[in-house]
Amino acid sequence: MFRENGWYRSILYAPAHRDNLEQVFANTPADVVMLDLEDGVPLADKPAARVKATALAKQDWPPLVALRVNKADSGMIPEDMECFGPGIGAVILPKAERAADLQDIDRRLTEKEKALGIEIGRTRIIGLVESCFGALEAANLARATPRLLTLGIGASDFMADIGNPVSRATLDPEALSLPRRMLVLAARAAGLSGPFDGGQFPPGRPGWGEACDMVRRIGFQGKVCFDDAQAAEANAVFAAREGEALKL
């Protein structure tokens, strides 16, 4: 589940309501699978997605499984956290803006670990920054809890927050340059591994390797992927940074 050097190069996106996730988990080359209960799952499908996530969370898988819950003020965190099991290595909090929200996830994880006989503190947290407010709070988020593995940027929602639909569609590197660097500075100043880069990038679209290399060069450790081919290429690109990994 956990990589020995604590460096995660590829994060495969997997909405929890999809079929055949067992095969995906067992065979993907990705270092992490993001088991999503948030934006990738329509509201009507969330109950069924939680049932599937609960079953998957009972098993150990080759990649680190990171459960993405719904945002802090959604009212769905208690239901989402009921999916937690020994197969979950991290919880991703989207739309992260306040240290207290990450600390709430920490508290809930401690309760779950105690109940399941899991070592307290084993499960990590990733804060996903997707707004201008979150970017400005990055330094506080990065120091919110010892469980924090790193930060990530949700590029598509960030572009929406700055009011630039063209940049949201293309993930304009210039528009994202400053917030990406803010996350790198916040994460590394707090002693964390580099952040990971998110945002829609359709499989087969040219330029994936270049997109990975661009964020690698400014300090990112990995990138969200949408199929196994992207994951394999991300692993190759980000492998150059593995020597800089921090221990979990």
Side-chain angles (χ1 to χ4, degrees), residues 126-157:
I126 298 170
L128 191 58
V129 174
E130 304 182 71
S131 68
C132 299
F133 190 95
L136 292 173
E137 285 291 305
N140 292 325
L141 295 174
R143 298 178 183 275
T145 162
R147 287 186 187 267
L148 200 71
L149 177 61
T150 192
L151 301 171
I153 185 166
S156 298
D157 282 338

PDB file of all heavy atoms in Angstrom, residues 126-157:
ATOM      1  N   ILE A 126      -4.665  14.097   2.506  1.00  0.00           N
ATOM      2  CA  ILE A 126      -4.227  14.985   1.436  1.00  0.00           C
ATOM      3  C   ILE A 126      -5.241  16.107   1.325  1.00  0.00           C
ATOM      4  O   ILE A 126      -6.450  15.852   1.228  1.00  0.00           O
ATOM      5  CB  ILE A 126      -4.110  14.240   0.093  1.00  0.00           C
ATOM      6  CG1 ILE A 126      -3.056  13.122   0.197  1.00  0.00           C
ATOM      7  CG2 ILE A 126      -3.771  15.203  -1.038  1.00  0.00           C
ATOM      8  CD1 ILE A 126      -3.041  12.187  -1.000  1.00  0.00           C
ATOM      9  N   GLY A 127      -4.768  17.333   1.369  1.00  0.00           N
ATOM     10  CA  GLY A 127      -5.643  18.490   1.221  1.00  0.00           C
ATOM     11  C   GLY A 127      -5.633  18.970  -0.219  1.00  0.00           C
ATOM     12  O   GLY A 127      -4.584  19.324  -0.753  1.00  0.00           O
ATOM     13  N   LEU A 128      -6.795  18.969  -0.857  1.00  0.00           N
ATOM     14  CA  LEU A 128      -6.903  19.362  -2.257  1.00  0.00           C
ATOM     15  C   LEU A 128      -7.358  20.821  -2.337  1.00  0.00           C
ATOM     16  O   LEU A 128      -8.475  21.167  -1.933  1.00  0.00           O
ATOM     17  CB  LEU A 128      -7.890  18.446  -2.974  1.00  0.00           C
ATOM     18  CG  LEU A 128      -7.954  18.536  -4.499  1.00  0.00           C
ATOM     19  CD1 LEU A 128      -6.595  18.257  -5.122  1.00  0.00           C
ATOM     20  CD2 LEU A 128      -8.991  17.547  -5.038  1.00  0.00           C
ATOM     21  N   VAL A 129      -6.495  21.679  -2.844  1.00  0.00           N
ATOM     22  CA  VAL A 129      -6.761  23.116  -2.935  1.00  0.00           C
ATOM     23  C   VAL A 129      -7.396  23.416  -4.283  1.00  0.00           C
ATOM     24  O   VAL A 129      -6.828  23.075  -5.324  1.00  0.00           O
ATOM     25  CB  VAL A 129      -5.459  23.910  -2.752  1.00  0.00           C
ATOM     26  CG1 VAL A 129      -5.692  25.400  -2.993  1.00  0.00           C
ATOM     27  CG2 VAL A 129      -4.887  23.674  -1.352  1.00  0.00           C
ATOM     28  N   GLU A 130      -8.564  24.054  -4.247  1.00  0.00           N
ATOM     29  CA  GLU A 130      -9.314  24.266  -5.488  1.00  0.00           C
ATOM     30  C   GLU A 130      -9.900  25.673  -5.579  1.00  0.00           C
ATOM     31  O   GLU A 130     -10.810  25.916  -6.377  1.00  0.00           O
ATOM     32  CB  GLU A 130     -10.431  23.227  -5.603  1.00  0.00           C
ATOM     33  CG  GLU A 130      -9.923  21.792  -5.531  1.00  0.00           C
ATOM     34  CD  GLU A 130     -11.017  20.771  -5.703  1.00  0.00           C
ATOM     35  OE1 GLU A 130     -11.531  20.637  -6.818  1.00  0.00           O
ATOM     36  OE2 GLU A 130     -11.352  20.103  -4.703  1.00  0.00           O
ATOM     37  N   SER A 131      -9.389  26.595  -4.776  1.00  0.00           N
ATOM     38  CA  SER A 131      -9.933  27.950  -4.767  1.00  0.00           C
ATOM     39  C   SER A 131      -8.842  28.951  -4.439  1.00  0.00           C
ATOM     40  O   SER A 131      -7.781  28.600  -3.913  1.00  0.00           O
ATOM     41  CB  SER A 131     -11.054  28.067  -3.729  1.00  0.00           C
ATOM     42  OG  SER A 131     -10.516  27.939  -2.409  1.00  0.00           O
ATOM     43  N   CYS A 132      -9.130  30.213  -4.727  1.00  0.00           N
ATOM     44  CA  CYS A 132      -8.191  31.279  -4.381  1.00  0.00           C
ATOM     45  C   CYS A 132      -7.982  31.331  -2.872  1.00  0.00           C
ATOM     46  O   CYS A 132      -6.846  31.487  -2.400  1.00  0.00           O
ATOM     47  CB  CYS A 132      -8.719  32.617  -4.893  1.00  0.00           C
ATOM     48  SG  CYS A 132      -8.936  32.684  -6.682  1.00  0.00           S
ATOM     49  N   PHE A 133      -9.056  31.200  -2.098  1.00  0.00           N
ATOM     50  CA  PHE A 133      -8.941  31.224  -0.639  1.00  0.00           C
ATOM     51  C   PHE A 133      -8.044  30.087  -0.165  1.00  0.00           C
ATOM     52  O   PHE A 133      -7.184  30.273   0.698  1.00  0.00           O
ATOM     53  CB  PHE A 133     -10.328  31.106  -0.009  1.00  0.00           C
ATOM     54  CG  PHE A 133     -10.344  31.350   1.475  1.00  0.00           C
ATOM     55  CD1 PHE A 133     -10.647  32.599   1.989  1.00  0.00           C
ATOM     56  CD2 PHE A 133     -10.058  30.330   2.369  1.00  0.00           C
ATOM     57  CE1 PHE A 133     -10.656  32.828   3.357  1.00  0.00           C
ATOM     58  CE2 PHE A 133     -10.057  30.534   3.731  1.00  0.00           C
ATOM     59  CZ  PHE A 133     -10.362  31.798   4.233  1.00  0.00           C
ATOM     60  N   GLY A 134      -8.240  28.916  -0.731  1.00  0.00           N
ATOM     61  CA  GLY A 134      -7.418  27.779  -0.333  1.00  0.00           C
ATOM     62  C   GLY A 134      -5.955  27.996  -0.639  1.00  0.00           C
ATOM     63  O   GLY A 134      -5.078  27.639   0.158  1.00  0.00           O
ATOM     64  N   ALA A 135      -5.658  28.583  -1.803  1.00  0.00           N
ATOM     65  CA  ALA A 135      -4.263  28.845  -2.155  1.00  0.00           C
ATOM     66  C   ALA A 135      -3.623  29.816  -1.170  1.00  0.00           C
ATOM     67  O   ALA A 135      -2.466  29.641  -0.769  1.00  0.00           O
ATOM     68  CB  ALA A 135      -4.181  29.384  -3.581  1.00  0.00           C
ATOM     69  N   LEU A 136      -4.366  30.833  -0.757  1.00  0.00           N
ATOM     70  CA  LEU A 136      -3.832  31.802   0.194  1.00  0.00           C
ATOM     71  C   LEU A 136      -3.664  31.199   1.590  1.00  0.00           C
ATOM     72  O   LEU A 136      -2.879  31.714   2.385  1.00  0.00           O
ATOM     73  CB  LEU A 136      -4.739  33.031   0.257  1.00  0.00           C
ATOM     74  CG  LEU A 136      -4.760  33.888  -1.017  1.00  0.00           C
ATOM     75  CD1 LEU A 136      -5.822  34.978  -0.907  1.00  0.00           C
ATOM     76  CD2 LEU A 136      -3.391  34.505  -1.275  1.00  0.00           C
ATOM     77  N   GLU A 137      -4.375  30.121   1.862  1.00  0.00           N
ATOM     78  CA  GLU A 137      -4.267  29.439   3.153  1.00  0.00           C
ATOM     79  C   GLU A 137      -3.315  28.241   3.102  1.00  0.00           C
ATOM     80  O   GLU A 137      -3.211  27.496   4.078  1.00  0.00           O
ATOM     81  CB  GLU A 137      -5.650  28.949   3.597  1.00  0.00           C
ATOM     82  CG  GLU A 137      -6.557  30.044   4.120  1.00  0.00           C
ATOM     83  CD  GLU A 137      -6.069  30.586   5.460  1.00  0.00           C
ATOM     84  OE1 GLU A 137      -5.887  29.787   6.406  1.00  0.00           O
ATOM     85  OE2 GLU A 137      -5.867  31.806   5.554  1.00  0.00           O
ATOM     86  N   ALA A 138      -2.612  28.064   2.009  1.00  0.00           N
ATOM     87  CA  ALA A 138      -1.823  26.850   1.808  1.00  0.00           C
ATOM     88  C   ALA A 138      -0.814  26.605   2.922  1.00  0.00           C
ATOM     89  O   ALA A 138      -0.623  25.456   3.357  1.00  0.00           O
ATOM     90  CB  ALA A 138      -1.119  26.902   0.454  1.00  0.00           C
ATOM     91  N   ALA A 139      -0.162  27.641   3.408  1.00  0.00           N
ATOM     92  CA  ALA A 139       0.835  27.458   4.464  1.00  0.00           C
ATOM     93  C   ALA A 139       0.192  26.917   5.735  1.00  0.00           C
ATOM     94  O   ALA A 139       0.769  26.056   6.424  1.00  0.00           O
ATOM     95  CB  ALA A 139       1.555  28.766   4.743  1.00  0.00           C
ATOM     96  N   ASN A 140      -0.999  27.402   6.066  1.00  0.00           N
ATOM     97  CA  ASN A 140      -1.705  26.906   7.252  1.00  0.00           C
ATOM     98  C   ASN A 140      -2.228  25.489   7.030  1.00  0.00           C
ATOM     99  O   ASN A 140      -2.192  24.650   7.943  1.00  0.00           O
ATOM    100  CB  ASN A 140      -2.868  27.841   7.601  1.00  0.00           C
ATOM    101  CG  ASN A 140      -2.408  29.192   8.082  1.00  0.00           C
ATOM    102  OD1 ASN A 140      -1.369  29.303   8.755  1.00  0.00           O
ATOM    103  ND2 ASN A 140      -3.142  30.236   7.756  1.00  0.00           N
ATOM    104  N   LEU A 141      -2.710  25.201   5.841  1.00  0.00           N
ATOM    105  CA  LEU A 141      -3.183  23.856   5.535  1.00  0.00           C
ATOM    106  C   LEU A 141      -2.048  22.848   5.659  1.00  0.00           C
ATOM    107  O   LEU A 141      -2.235  21.748   6.190  1.00  0.00           O
ATOM    108  CB  LEU A 141      -3.767  23.815   4.123  1.00  0.00           C
ATOM    109  CG  LEU A 141      -5.022  24.645   3.862  1.00  0.00           C
ATOM    110  CD1 LEU A 141      -5.370  24.605   2.373  1.00  0.00           C
ATOM    111  CD2 LEU A 141      -6.202  24.154   4.688  1.00  0.00           C
ATOM    112  N   ALA A 142      -0.869  23.220   5.185  1.00  0.00           N
ATOM    113  CA  ALA A 142       0.261  22.292   5.167  1.00  0.00           C
ATOM    114  C   ALA A 142       0.732  21.924   6.569  1.00  0.00           C
ATOM    115  O   ALA A 142       1.403  20.904   6.751  1.00  0.00           O
ATOM    116  CB  ALA A 142       1.413  22.891   4.368  1.00  0.00           C
ATOM    117  N   ARG A 143       0.391  22.726   7.561  1.00  0.00           N
ATOM    118  CA  ARG A 143       0.802  22.469   8.940  1.00  0.00           C
ATOM    119  C   ARG A 143      -0.371  22.086   9.838  1.00  0.00           C
ATOM    120  O   ARG A 143      -0.254  22.076  11.058  1.00  0.00           O
ATOM    121  CB  ARG A 143       1.507  23.705   9.514  1.00  0.00           C
ATOM    122  CG  ARG A 143       2.779  24.076   8.758  1.00  0.00           C
ATOM    123  CD  ARG A 143       3.425  25.341   9.315  1.00  0.00           C
ATOM    124  NE  ARG A 143       4.599  25.733   8.546  1.00  0.00           N
ATOM    125  CZ  ARG A 143       5.823  25.263   8.728  1.00  0.00           C
ATOM    126  NH1 ARG A 143       6.034  24.371   9.685  1.00  0.00           N
ATOM    127  NH2 ARG A 143       6.832  25.667   7.978  1.00  0.00           N
ATOM    128  N   ALA A 144      -1.500  21.733   9.230  1.00  0.00           N
ATOM    129  CA  ALA A 144      -2.725  21.522  10.000  1.00  0.00           C
ATOM    130  C   ALA A 144      -2.685  20.285  10.872  1.00  0.00           C
ATOM    131  O   ALA A 144      -3.242  20.269  11.976  1.00  0.00           O
ATOM    132  CB  ALA A 144      -3.927  21.444   9.054  1.00  0.00           C
ATOM    133  N   THR A 145      -2.050  19.208  10.398  1.00  0.00           N
ATOM    134  CA  THR A 145      -2.069  17.940  11.127  1.00  0.00           C
ATOM    135  C   THR A 145      -0.859  17.101  10.738  1.00  0.00           C
ATOM    136  O   THR A 145      -0.445  17.126   9.568  1.00  0.00           O
ATOM    137  CB  THR A 145      -3.360  17.151  10.827  1.00  0.00           C
ATOM    138  OG1 THR A 145      -3.183  15.773  11.204  1.00  0.00           O
ATOM    139  CG2 THR A 145      -3.722  17.193   9.358  1.00  0.00           C
ATOM    140  N   PRO A 146      -0.308  16.341  11.690  1.00  0.00           N
ATOM    141  CA  PRO A 146       0.809  15.443  11.349  1.00  0.00           C
ATOM    142  C   PRO A 146       0.438  14.363  10.343  1.00  0.00           C
ATOM    143  O   PRO A 146       1.321  13.746   9.751  1.00  0.00           O
ATOM    144  CB  PRO A 146       1.176  14.818  12.702  1.00  0.00           C
ATOM    145  CG  PRO A 146       0.645  15.755  13.732  1.00  0.00           C
ATOM    146  CD  PRO A 146      -0.591  16.352  13.133  1.00  0.00           C
ATOM    147  N   ARG A 147      -0.836  14.120  10.152  1.00  0.00           N
ATOM    148  CA  ARG A 147      -1.271  13.110   9.177  1.00  0.00           C
ATOM    149  C   ARG A 147      -1.123  13.593   7.736  1.00  0.00           C
ATOM    150  O   ARG A 147      -1.208  12.789   6.812  1.00  0.00           O
ATOM    151  CB  ARG A 147      -2.746  12.761   9.389  1.00  0.00           C
ATOM    152  CG  ARG A 147      -3.067  11.928  10.602  1.00  0.00           C
ATOM    153  CD  ARG A 147      -4.542  11.559  10.552  1.00  0.00           C
ATOM    154  NE  ARG A 147      -5.014  10.905  11.741  1.00  0.00           N
ATOM    155  CZ  ARG A 147      -5.057   9.595  11.919  1.00  0.00           C
ATOM    156  NH1 ARG A 147      -4.646   8.797  10.962  1.00  0.00           N
ATOM    157  NH2 ARG A 147      -5.524   9.085  13.041  1.00  0.00           N
ATOM    158  N   LEU A 148      -0.937  14.885   7.539  1.00  0.00           N
ATOM    159  CA  LEU A 148      -0.951  15.401   6.180  1.00  0.00           C
ATOM    160  C   LEU A 148       0.217  14.840   5.383  1.00  0.00           C
ATOM    161  O   LEU A 148       1.380  15.028   5.742  1.00  0.00           O
ATOM    162  CB  LEU A 148      -0.910  16.928   6.184  1.00  0.00           C
ATOM    163  CG  LEU A 148      -1.389  17.567   4.876  1.00  0.00           C
ATOM    164  CD1 LEU A 148      -2.897  17.405   4.712  1.00  0.00           C
ATOM    165  CD2 LEU A 148      -1.020  19.030   4.801  1.00  0.00           C
ATOM    166  N   LEU A 149      -0.100  14.171   4.280  1.00  0.00           N
ATOM    167  CA  LEU A 149       0.929  13.639   3.390  1.00  0.00           C
ATOM    168  C   LEU A 149       1.451  14.725   2.474  1.00  0.00           C
ATOM    169  O   LEU A 149       2.657  14.913   2.322  1.00  0.00           O
ATOM    170  CB  LEU A 149       0.346  12.484   2.567  1.00  0.00           C
ATOM    171  CG  LEU A 149       1.259  11.851   1.520  1.00  0.00           C
ATOM    172  CD1 LEU A 149       2.504  11.250   2.171  1.00  0.00           C
ATOM    173  CD2 LEU A 149       0.500  10.784   0.740  1.00  0.00           C
ATOM    174  N   THR A 150       0.528  15.454   1.852  1.00  0.00           N
ATOM    175  CA  THR A 150       0.887  16.579   1.005  1.00  0.00           C
ATOM    176  C   THR A 150      -0.382  17.327   0.634  1.00  0.00           C
ATOM    177  O   THR A 150      -1.479  16.996   1.091  1.00  0.00           O
ATOM    178  CB  THR A 150       1.647  16.108  -0.249  1.00  0.00           C
ATOM    179  OG1 THR A 150       2.230  17.244  -0.903  1.00  0.00           O
ATOM    180  CG2 THR A 150       0.745  15.357  -1.213  1.00  0.00           C
ATOM    181  N   LEU A 151      -0.222  18.330  -0.218  1.00  0.00           N
ATOM    182  CA  LEU A 151      -1.333  19.066  -0.797  1.00  0.00           C
ATOM    183  C   LEU A 151      -1.466  18.687  -2.264  1.00  0.00           C
ATOM    184  O   LEU A 151      -0.561  18.100  -2.854  1.00  0.00           O
ATOM    185  CB  LEU A 151      -1.103  20.570  -0.678  1.00  0.00           C
ATOM    186  CG  LEU A 151      -0.933  21.135   0.728  1.00  0.00           C
ATOM    187  CD1 LEU A 151      -0.496  22.597   0.658  1.00  0.00           C
ATOM    188  CD2 LEU A 151      -2.226  20.997   1.526  1.00  0.00           C
ATOM    189  N   GLY A 152      -2.589  19.021  -2.846  1.00  0.00           N
ATOM    190  CA  GLY A 152      -2.787  18.859  -4.277  1.00  0.00           C
ATOM    191  C   GLY A 152      -3.575  20.041  -4.797  1.00  0.00           C
ATOM    192  O   GLY A 152      -4.239  20.740  -4.027  1.00  0.00           O
ATOM    193  N   ILE A 153      -3.512  20.270  -6.091  1.00  0.00           N
ATOM    194  CA  ILE A 153      -4.307  21.339  -6.691  1.00  0.00           C
ATOM    195  C   ILE A 153      -5.357  20.726  -7.609  1.00  0.00           C
ATOM    196  O   ILE A 153      -5.052  19.865  -8.438  1.00  0.00           O
ATOM    197  CB  ILE A 153      -3.431  22.362  -7.457  1.00  0.00           C
ATOM    198  CG1 ILE A 153      -4.291  23.521  -7.960  1.00  0.00           C
ATOM    199  CG2 ILE A 153      -2.645  21.704  -8.589  1.00  0.00           C
ATOM    200  CD1 ILE A 153      -3.488  24.716  -8.431  1.00  0.00           C
ATOM    201  N   GLY A 154      -6.589  21.146  -7.418  1.00  0.00           N
ATOM    202  CA  GLY A 154      -7.675  20.782  -8.319  1.00  0.00           C
ATOM    203  C   GLY A 154      -7.780  21.866  -9.375  1.00  0.00           C
ATOM    204  O   GLY A 154      -8.497  22.854  -9.202  1.00  0.00           O
ATOM    205  N   ALA A 155      -7.058  21.695 -10.465  1.00  0.00           N
ATOM    206  CA  ALA A 155      -6.853  22.782 -11.420  1.00  0.00           C
ATOM    207  C   ALA A 155      -8.143  23.239 -12.095  1.00  0.00           C
ATOM    208  O   ALA A 155      -8.355  24.442 -12.305  1.00  0.00           O
ATOM    209  CB  ALA A 155      -5.825  22.357 -12.467  1.00  0.00           C
ATOM    210  N   SER A 156      -9.016  22.311 -12.446  1.00  0.00           N
ATOM    211  CA  SER A 156     -10.236  22.698 -13.152  1.00  0.00           C
ATOM    212  C   SER A 156     -11.118  23.581 -12.289  1.00  0.00           C
ATOM    213  O   SER A 156     -11.602  24.639 -12.736  1.00  0.00           O
ATOM    214  CB  SER A 156     -11.006  21.445 -13.597  1.00  0.00           C
ATOM    215  OG  SER A 156     -10.237  20.676 -14.495  1.00  0.00           O
ATOM    216  N   ASP A 157     -11.350  23.189 -11.046  1.00  0.00           N
ATOM    217  CA  ASP A 157     -12.179  24.005 -10.156  1.00  0.00           C
ATOM    218  C   ASP A 157     -11.471  25.305  -9.790  1.00  0.00           C
ATOM    219  O   ASP A 157     -12.128  26.331  -9.576  1.00  0.00           O
ATOM    220  CB  ASP A 157     -12.528  23.223  -8.892  1.00  0.00           C
ATOM    221  CG  ASP A 157     -13.646  22.219  -9.131  1.00  0.00           C
ATOM    222  OD1 ASP A 157     -14.411  22.399 -10.104  1.00  0.00           O
ATOM    223  OD2 ASP A 157     -13.760  21.251  -8.361  1.00  0.00           O
TER     224      ASP A 157
END
